Amino acid sequence: MTVTSLAVVGALASPNPPPAQAAPTVFVHPGVTVSRAQLDFVRDRVGAAAQPWKGAFDQLLASKYADLNRTARPRAVVECGSYSNPDHGCTDEREDALAAYTDALAWYVTRDERYARKAIALMDAWSGVIEDHTNSNAPLQTGWAGSTWPRAAEIVKYTYPGGWANSGRFATMLRDVYLPEVINGSNSNGNWELSMTEAAIGISVFLEDRASYDKAMAKFRTRTAAYVYLASDGDLPRTVPGQHLDTRAKIVAYWQGQATFVTGLTQETCRDLTHTGYGISAISHVAETSRIQGQDLYGTDVGERLRQALGFQAGYQLGAAVPSWLCGGSLKTGLGPVTEVGYNALHNRLGIAMSNTGTLTLRNRPAGSNNLFVAWETLTHGDNPA
């Protein structure tokens, strides 16, 4: 091994992020991404016809996901290839999960039991049929749908007094079909593992599975540190052990050919801001779930990486000129509706200045859905102090 190689390997051997906090002794419910206190705030604001919440709720009710005539389209095996080609149940599964979450929110705000029953019908349809996810995108597909199902289930199980007879079967589906696919993570692009760990953590909350929560959280902490670069990381970004990125050349290739590392850059910035947004969104969702469960990730490097990633990407999404050293001077934008959760937590609650993120957040209101795993976050988290 050359002296240069030794130096590179030494740089790669930077300290691991701080240990993940342990799972709570007693889980808080509803407690996946949105809490009861947050839901109460939203219900109050919508009831008062206050903005932006009333407009955001109207957007939700007008969406296809709130259609009470929706018919679930479950299947035993969901087969998803790259970019969902083939799409054998992929879109149906993701959108039925989003519809269940949409209906759960609509139930909580309106107290119209039809929405709770529709959410239950969608969840029951899938829990009675699905057995597996297959093909190359199976881990990501499971992560996306598996991130959304627990949000819906938490609201319905813990706030709807009408009962949910098949909630145990739904829990079995999450444990047997979804959790095994996501709990061990992925060595693919970072947005994959971040979405997968989001799903594993949300599922673990619903199942009250402390061991899985801890395992997923530890993997999340390592991947977040390897996804968003901070100058304090050193000359090179941190890495995930199983990927064997043991030379500078391998790291640069993995970071889409980007060889200059600056605070806020992500592993997928030079791919496009759309996939980067998936990763940022998953980071914010896990941090919010962790906060609800009593642990503060916003005060750790997770919060700092989230803040810097949001600000860096938001600036270019707003139209800042792309320098020649960044992605060859050209960026593909399309960050998506992914800023509300992080902006509310870091700026509104903690008082951290975030001008780019704030400008973009206000410009995008009301934030809708990306039709994958993000939905209605102006409603649930916009300026929400709870």
Side-chain angles (χ1 to χ4, degrees), residues 27-335:
F27 284 96
V28 175
H29 303 289
V32 177
T33 312
V34 62
S35 68
R36 184 186 295 270
Q38 288 171 308
L39 290 167
D40 286 340
F41 174 82
V42 169
R43 185 167 185 249
D44 176 77
R45 294 290 79 205
V46 172
Q51 299 298 351
W53 306 278
K54 179 61 165 62
F57 188 62
D58 289 345
Q59 177 193 43
L60 176 152
L61 288 181
S63 75
K64 63 182 179 180
Y65 298 121
D67 182 0
L68 289 169
N69 294 313
R70 184 182 188 89
T71 300
R73 302 182 66 181
R75 61 175 68 204
V77 177
V78 174
E79 181 185 1
C80 306
S82 182
Y83 292 93
S84 294
N85 182 22
D87 180 347
H88 296 156
C90 317
T91 300
D92 292 337
E93 179 187 32
R94 293 194 306 268
E95 295 195 348
D96 280 348
L98 285 167
Y101 178 53
T102 300
D103 290 328
L105 290 172
W107 141 252
Y108 199 91
V109 172
T110 66
R111 292 301 195 269
D112 184 336
E113 291 194 19
R114 293 178 301 163
Y115 289 109
R117 290 195 294 267
K118 174 56 69 172
I120 289 170
L122 292 166
M123 291 188 285
D124 283 354
W126 280 89
S127 71
V129 172
I130 190 167
E131 298 173 356
D132 199 10
H133 298 86
T134 64
N135 214 321
S136 59
N137 260 30
L140 181 60
Q141 171 74 18
T142 310
W144 282 340
S147 294
T148 309
W149 287 126
R151 291 184 221 142
E154 283 277 302
I155 294 171
V156 170
K157 181 176 180 179
Y158 292 99
T159 74
Y160 175 56
W164 179 12
N166 288 318
S167 63
R169 188 178 75 188
F170 185 83
T172 298
M173 175 192 80
L174 293 181
R175 182 179 296 282
D176 293 350
V177 178
Y178 288 81
L179 191 58
E181 187 73 44
V182 296
I183 190 64
N184 293 315
S186 165
N187 287 326
S188 185
N189 281 306
N191 83 85
W192 278 49
E193 185 160 88
L194 289 166
S195 289
M196 292 166 69
T197 54
E198 178 191 345
I201 288 164
I203 289 168
S204 297
V205 170
F206 186 74
L207 298 178
E208 298 193 328
D209 185 334
R210 299 180 78 246
S212 292
Y213 184 99
D214 286 345
K215 181 176 181 178
M217 188 63 78
K219 194 167 288 291
F220 167 80
R221 294 293 303 275
T222 298
R223 174 59 76 170
T224 300
Y227 193 69
V228 182
Y229 176 80
L230 298 178
S232 57
D233 293 335
D235 292 338
L236 293 170
R238 293 186 178 183
T239 61
V240 174
Q243 292 183 288
H244 308 295
L245 299 175
D246 50 6
T247 68
R248 180 182 180 86
K250 289 181 181 179
I251 291 174
V252 168
Y254 184 59
W255 281 62
Q256 315 294 324
Q258 178 66 17
T260 301
F261 302 104
V262 297
T263 292
L265 182 78
T266 80
Q267 181 253 315
E268 294 185 277
T269 299
C270 292
R271 180 185 185 184
D272 57 58
L273 296 194
T274 300
H275 288 87
T276 298
Y278 301 163
I280 290 173
S281 183
I283 292 170
S284 70
H285 292 164
V286 172
E288 193 71 356
T289 295
S290 178
R291 182 189 71 87
I292 294 166
Q293 298 303 326
Q295 292 94 27
D296 175 24
L297 285 183
Y298 291 117
T300 70
D301 75 302
V302 171
E304 180 63 7
R305 292 178 197 277
L306 176 60
R307 177 176 80 92
Q308 297 291 354
L310 282 168
F312 186 86
Q313 266 62 223
Y316 293 110
Q317 183 66 37
L318 289 167
V322 181
S324 59
W325 56 262
L326 177 62
C327 311
S330 177
L331 267 179
K332 296 178 182 177
T333 56
L335 189 60

